[in-house]
Amino acid sequence: MDFVEFSSELPKIEKIPLPGLWRDHGLIPDPNHLRWAGVLCLFYPDCNGKTHFVLIRRQSDGGAHSGQIAFPGGRRDDQEVDLSLTALRECEEEIGVSRETIKLIKPMSELYIPPSDFWVQPFIGITHSTPEFTPQVEEVAGIIEVPAKDLFAELHLKMETIETPSLGSVKAPVFDFQGNRVWGATALMLYEMRQLMGQIIS
């Protein structure tokens, strides 16, 4: 997927309503909730001009999301009045991409994550330079660079039955990128992005 073409088409999603497929099964975000996080799906060109996005593998630290595949992101600081600032700061801290080089395109649907009691606000962003990733070793065990075309390929997506506290058994997306299983909240966010961007990308 050519980055020049992709970057010219991506801003069109700003005016497209969110699918809202995974607004945590009807839960309404509480702005007064104490635990909010911002995460970023960052698109960029590789050295051959092809579009990629970046995921991270979290360190195995025994926490609620230990060892999982995720977007760069984390908890909002008290002084951050906008979660977009959180997503940009965390991206810079965790993978070394300067927030000054990133343009945010659109916020996606908020998602509640029961195991860690966080509401998470995802964002789609883009940088026009090929990043030199510098992982924050305390938080990040590895960097996963995913060709954007793989997000839209049926080969990398399947639906699995999971158990939820509110709805019981439901079908949820699971992605496989380069042998990395992406499930849970990150897969739900990716699936909404896939549905949204699929309206502008052929």
Side-chain angles (χ1 to χ4, degrees), residues 12 25 31 39 43 65 95 98 112 114-115 130 134-135 156 186 196 200:
K12 293 180 181 179
H25 314 306
V39 303
F43 290 94
H65 305 293
I95 61 175
S98 170
Y112 180 65
T130 304
T134 306
H156 300 286
T186 302
L196 177 68
I200 62 156

Side-chain angles (χ1 to χ4, degrees), residues 123-143:
F123 293 87
I124 293 175
I126 192 168
T127 181
H128 289 268
S129 56
T130 304
E132 294 185 11
F133 295 114
T134 306
Q136 183 184 35
V137 294
E138 295 83 4
E139 301 282 344
V140 179
I143 300 286

